[in-house]
Amino acid sequence: MTTFWLLAAALIAAATACLLWPLLRRRAPSATATPERALLVDLYHDQLRELDRDLRAGTLGAARHAEARDELGRRLLDEAAGSSSAPAGAGASPLLAALLLALLPSAAILLYLHLGNPVALWRADDLPAASGSEHQLSGAQVEGMVNQLAQRLRDAPGDAQGWAMLARSYSVLERHADAAAAYARAVELAPDVAALRADYADVLASLNGGALDGAPMAQVRQALVLDPDDPKALALAASAAAQRGDKQAAIGYWEHLHRLLPADSQTAARIAANLAAARGTDAAAPAPKITGMVTLGEKAGRTPQPGDTLFVYALPTDGSRMPLAVLRRQARDLPLSFTLDDAMAMRPEHRLSGQQQVMLEARISVSGSALPKAGDLVGRTGPVAVGTEGIRIAIDDAIAP
């Protein structure tokens, strides 16, 4: 987190300098500028630099740093007004520059604390790397930040975004009862936000031992009424259906969610696995599939890195590049035994079972992109009949620039 605040301070300083330079440049030294005012400005800049040094050293928190800058700005305006004997227009630019210097950084920090998620920042950067007393210190700091937000919301209870942020912070700290109360307040203030209701349902389920029936499911249903494509609500609805044994409903929700996700995302892979497991328990005839082996041919031209991404596709014979099924692995898995079936479809209406024949392709991508790029290693075969087993694909070519 220290690195984040140092970078933020540097960016704020650069932006402030760009704004202040025209104001300071426009006012050249003149006879109307008194020595007292020049001394005040120099003293103010020295104190600002000392505050910035304390922030970088970690002896002064970001919130306290912002308050101190505001106080310095107000003090400079008061003292400059009392000590100035120059005409009103002569000192306008430096005073405005000082006011901007005091207010802009403070406004930026307060805006981040209000709209951002500083708790997640602490957990991401500080907590995993800490140990012993350092870990305890970071935890105490996180608690302090959350408590400050709770206090602010007691003074301004109508801030729906603030309550949502507080609820998410409590969830990170695993204070589920507090998170549920905060989400209840946020939903009361913003009843038409589907994502809030889905998050609220998740916390209620945590309090209910993971069970989604009852109050959690009521929130899920309302979320889906507000937004039928809300990802979290769809996932929770699918889980609830699976819990009560309604396999077909769970499959429907998972299929809907899978269509909304990027094809090469880890979440899409997990949903595909859920679909495969749900369909695998069906007593109906097994879905059509294609099995085989992918190897690296001698004509590939180069040896891929172990971490390069390996895709295995089934494509329509009409030349369309929308895969009917896709499997994602790594080059280190070669030679790879593969199985392609309907569980790996990107769209429920675009599956292997709807085709008589398909083209097969295996591709190794350095970038990991789902789209072919120059330099990717590739192997193709087909057309082959859906249901064929033991197909061999040799990766022995490269995509030309």
Side-chain angles (χ1 to χ4, degrees), residues 387-401:
T388 304
E389 299 183 358
I391 296 173
R392 299 188 68 86
I393 306 174
I395 299 177
D396 55 6
D397 196 6
I399 299 177

Side-chain angles (χ1 to χ4, degrees), residues 264-276:
D264 58 349
S265 67
Q266 293 184 353
T267 304
R270 288 195 296 269
I271 298 303
N274 291 343
L275 283 169

Side-chain angles (χ1 to χ4, degrees), residues 294-301 310-311 334 362-364 376-380 393-397:
V294 178
T295 60
L296 184 65
E298 296 179 356
K299 299 179 181 180
L310 169 64
F311 294 99
L334 291 170
R363 180 170 57 86
I364 298 177
D376 288 355
L377 302 179
V378 65
R380 302 180 178 92
I393 306 174
I395 299 177
D396 55 6
D397 196 6

Side-chain angles (χ1 to χ4, degrees), residues 36 54 68 121 128 163 395:
E36 292 82 4
D54 290 343
L121 182 63
W163 284 107
I395 299 177

Side-chain angles (χ1 to χ4, degrees), residues 303-365:
T303 301
Q305 295 298 313
D308 289 353
T309 303
L310 169 64
F311 294 99
V312 183
Y313 301 96
L315 301 168
T317 55
D318 62 6
S320 170
R321 294 300 300 176
M322 173 62 71
L324 299 159
V326 58
L327 176 66
R328 180 182 178 130
R329 291 291 185 268
Q330 290 184 314
R332 63 168 57 93
D333 298 322
L334 291 170
L336 173 70
S337 295
F338 69 89
T339 298
L340 299 177
D341 56 28
D342 282 352
M344 301 172 182
M346 296 177 62
R347 295 181 181 177
E349 71 280 3
H350 197 65
R351 301 177 179 176
L352 278 175
S353 56
Q355 306 289 320
Q356 295 295 324
Q357 292 183 321
V358 296
M359 302 295 296
L360 297 181
E361 179 176 308
R363 180 170 57 86
I364 298 177
S365 170

